[in-house]
Amino acid sequence: MKIKSLAIVLFVLAINSVSAQSTFDKWPAIKAFHEVISQTFHPSEEGNLEPIKARSEELMNSATAVLKSDIPAEYRTPAILASAEKLQLKSKALHKMVTAKASDADLKKSLSELHDVFHEIVGLCSEKK
């Protein structure tokens, strides 16, 4: 588990490098989503699901904002648009799971999948450079 956590930390540091940082600068909605997902996903890795239980609606609204935002032209590709839609749909499903009091295992799995979609978007944006 520690190796996985280290890999994730290194990946996040890489994302915060020059290319990803400029992505966040150019696309404020994805930066705002990143703030919420990082504050809910990383605690879940340690077994703390309270942040996502308390903030699932905020995360859902942030994902919707990503999809409805003024996506920079260079990122307005079919793949990124499809991933942004997937982000919104998965965040909505996660929020419904939270409100339905789904099991912690199911919430953790859904949150992890949502986190993966976020990284998919950032990766696609980095490829556009």
Side-chain angles (χ1 to χ4, degrees), residues 4 38 42 69 82 88 110:
K4 183 178 178 185
S38 67
H42 296 297
S69 69
Q88 192 267 338
S110 181

Side-chain angles (χ1 to χ4, degrees), residues 63 67 79-93 113-114 116-118 120-121:
L67 186 59
I80 291 173
L81 292 172
S83 293
E85 186 173 330
K86 186 173 13 171
L87 189 81
Q88 192 267 338
L89 292 171
K90 285 192 170 289
S91 67
K92 185 176 182 180
E113 291 171 358
L114 182 62
D116 289 347
V117 174
F118 164 75
E120 179 181 298
I121 292 169

Side-chain angles (χ1 to χ4, degrees), residues 5-67:
S5 294
L6 178 60
I8 290 170
V9 168
L10 291 174
F11 185 74
V12 168
L13 289 174
I15 284 177
N16 287 324
S17 68
V18 174
S19 67
Q21 185 60 43
S22 65
T23 298
F24 289 162
D25 289 341
K26 292 177 184 178
W27 193 2
I30 201 73
K31 180 179 182 178
F33 182 85
H34 175 252
E35 290 174 16
V36 182
I37 192 78
S38 67
Q39 294 169 4
T40 55
F41 174 74
H42 296 297
S44 77
E45 293 178 297
E46 304 299 323
N48 180 5
L49 294 170
E50 291 311 310
I52 191 56
K53 290 177 181 179
R55 299 180 71 187
S56 66
E57 184 174 13
E58 178 185 2
L59 190 65
M60 177 185 68
N61 291 338
S62 185
T64 298
V66 166
L67 186 59

Side-chain angles (χ1 to χ4, degrees), residues 52 56 59 89-99 106-108 110-111 114:
I52 191 56
S56 66
L59 190 65
L89 292 171
K90 285 192 170 289
S91 67
K92 185 176 182 180
L94 175 59
H95 177 61
K96 284 183 178 182
M97 291 173 68
V98 168
T99 59
D106 287 343
L107 291 176
K108 190 172 181 179
S110 181
L111 181 57
L114 182 62

